[in-house]
């Protein structure tokens, strides 16, 4: 994981974004936030198992579907299967050691 602090690359409500192999951070202090880094590490694993490009395609399509379904961009973001998995397991710092491939399917 390559951490980059670039606040201007992120929307005001986002603290970070994973763009394989980089994690873009809004604040330097996030480099010390283990929960946040675990969340982003889960996204790195998801991206790798979908060969990166398919992750972004799926993410975008699912976001649009959820936005149409829920009528709210924030709710749409929180209900993307990748985000649901990452938020659900972000507190489990050992999760990635035992994670099975394609676990995000359980969150569709």
């Amino acid at each position: 994981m390559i951490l980059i602090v670039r606040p201007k690359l992120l929307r005001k409500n986002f603290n970070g974004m994973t763009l394989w192999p980089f994690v873009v951070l809004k604040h330097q202090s996030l480099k010390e936030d283990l929960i946040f880094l675990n969340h982003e590490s889960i996204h790195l694993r998801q991206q790798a198992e979908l060969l990166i490009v398919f992750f972004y395609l799926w993410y975008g399509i699912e976001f649009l579907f959820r936005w149409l379904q829920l009528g709210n961009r924030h709710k749409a973001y929180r209900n993307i299967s990748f985000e649901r998995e990452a938020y659900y397991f972000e507190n489990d710092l050992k999760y990635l050691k035992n994670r099975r491939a394609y676990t995000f399917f359980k969150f569709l």
Side-chain angles (χ1 to χ4, degrees):
M1 172 178 357
I2 303 167
L3 302 173
I4 301 173
V5 179
R6 293 282 186 265
K8 293 183 180 182
L9 291 178
L10 300 168
R11 294 179 55 125
K12 67 177 181 174
N13 295 330
F14 289 87
N15 286 322
M17 177 174 50
T18 303
L19 299 168
W20 199 90
F22 306 102
V23 176
V24 181
L25 310 172
K26 185 171 264 186
H27 305 288
Q28 184 75 21
S29 63
L30 291 169
K31 288 183 174 183
E32 308 301 322
D33 186 337
L34 296 179
I35 304 301
F36 174 80
L37 294 176
N38 192 47
H39 179 101
E40 299 305 329
S41 294
I42 293 169
H43 287 318
L44 286 171
R45 181 75 56 87
Q46 293 164 338
Q47 290 172 10
E49 66 193 14
L50 286 176
L51 306 176
I52 302 159
V53 103
F54 295 110
F55 171 88
Y56 294 115
L57 286 171
W58 186 319
Y59 195 103
I61 291 167
E62 189 173 352
F63 173 78
L64 290 174
F65 174 77
R66 300 288 181 197
W67 191 7
L68 291 172
Q69 178 188 44
L70 300 169
N72 179 292
R73 286 186 349 190
H74 180 70
K75 286 182 183 177
Y77 157 76
R78 288 299 295 238
N79 281 282
I80 295 169
S81 56
F82 302 116
E83 294 299 340
R84 291 178 66 200
E85 178 189 9
Y87 278 111
Y88 190 83
F89 290 108
E90 69 184 3
N91 291 307
D92 182 354
L93 301 180
K94 296 180 183 178
Y95 174 64
L96 285 174
K97 291 180 182 177
N98 300 312
R99 180 185 181 270
R100 291 185 160 186
Y102 306 103
T103 301
F104 65 89
F105 277 122
K106 293 180 181 179
F107 292 87
L108 281 172

